[in-house]
Amino acid sequence: MATDLDRLPKIGAPAVRALTRAGYPTLRDLAGVPRAELSVLHGVGPKALGIIQHALEQRGLSLG
């Protein structure tokens, strides 16, 4: 059964593609990953990172 950690939050399609290609297809995969590592991915900007961080924090997790 899929949970909300098994999918990415609502972010732009370029960010979803970039994260998936980089090996982060789910929100769970992003827990503990340094924000700086994600910010260099084309399509992953401050807005997407903020949404991801907020989604992680709601689940007691965080970016690295």
Side-chain angles (χ1 to χ4, degrees):
M1 183 168 161
T3 70
D4 57 350
L5 284 171
D6 294 324
R7 59 187 158 275
L8 292 170
K10 284 194 173 235
I11 53 176
V16 170
R17 285 191 300 269
L19 291 169
T20 301
R21 270 188 253 128
Y24 306 111
T26 69
L27 185 58
R28 178 181 285 113
D29 296 323
L30 293 167
V33 176
R35 190 178 183 101
E37 183 178 319
L38 299 174
S39 68
V40 299
L41 299 174
H42 181 73
V44 181
K47 183 176 179 179
L49 288 172
I51 293 169
I52 290 166
Q53 179 65 38
H54 180 72
L56 286 168
E57 287 173 353
Q58 287 182 319
R59 291 148 186 91
L61 301 168
S62 175
L63 291 173

